[in-house]
Amino acid sequence: KGAIVAGYHAHQDEADPARLLLALAKTGAPVAFPRIVRRDAALEFHLVPEGEILRPGAYGIHEPLEHWPRARPDILLVPLLAFDDRGYRLGYGGGYYDRTLAASPHARAIGIAYAGQRVDFLPHDAHDCRLDAILTENGLTEFPR
């Protein structure tokens, strides 16, 4: 209760968290969305003012406008291409979520995916951040720390 949840607007074939975000908003949870500030920075999150809509931004991904209220999420819903049973994820190569997760140690990171995106092993580097959990159509799997 009272936790700020960072969602995302699904792009292309990403698992779409829209119904989950709507349900969370109906319970009173503030929902924020990411905005790319610059190539080498963590994402910034903004609340969407009533009556406003996300606009296509970098890479054609819908995002909030810069002047909308900033938010510091407690829960980060994270898109991905693949994940493994250790909590590592394969993203789209920009490093935005790894930088964001590294800069948000207080936040719980939950990957949103289809069960078919699970792979046996993902190579990772020192800068790759693990997820706390993954949510698929089969349920929530938490990763031990």
Side-chain angles (χ1 to χ4, degrees):
K1 187 167 180 114
I4 297 173
V5 178
Y8 62 90
H9 186 276
H11 186 65
Q12 298 178 0
D13 294 331
E14 290 176 340
D16 191 349
R19 289 177 54 196
L20 173 60
L21 295 172
L22 182 60
L24 289 167
K26 284 182 179 180
T27 69
V31 175
F33 287 88
R35 185 175 66 80
I36 294 174
V37 180
R38 63 180 187 277
R39 182 178 286 280
D40 61 346
L43 297 166
E44 285 186 358
F45 294 89
H46 299 262
L47 301 171
V48 180
E50 191 166 334
E52 295 287 352
I53 59 171
L54 302 177
R55 306 284 197 302
Y59 309 106
I61 298 169
H62 287 73
E63 59 183 32
L65 298 181
E66 181 179 2
H67 65 276
W68 291 357
R70 293 268 314 268
R72 183 175 180 229
D74 302 294
I75 299 170
L76 295 164
L77 301 182
V78 182
L80 51 86
L81 291 171
F83 66 94
D84 68 15
D85 290 334
R86 296 170 305 149
Y88 287 104
R89 62 180 277 282
L90 176 65
Y92 294 87
Y96 294 104
Y97 274 97
D98 283 316
R99 285 189 294 277
T100 301
L101 296 176
S104 308
H106 68 283
R108 182 167 164 75
I110 302 172
I112 304 294
Y114 299 108
Q117 291 175 274
R118 184 200 159 277
V119 297
D120 289 331
F121 176 81
L122 281 174
H124 62 278
D125 292 319
H127 67 272
D128 290 325
C129 294
R130 291 178 50 203
L131 298 168
D132 295 300
I134 190 86
L135 180 63
T136 72
E137 70 275 16
N138 295 332
L140 182 72
T141 301
E142 298 196 55
F143 301 114
R145 286 283 170 190

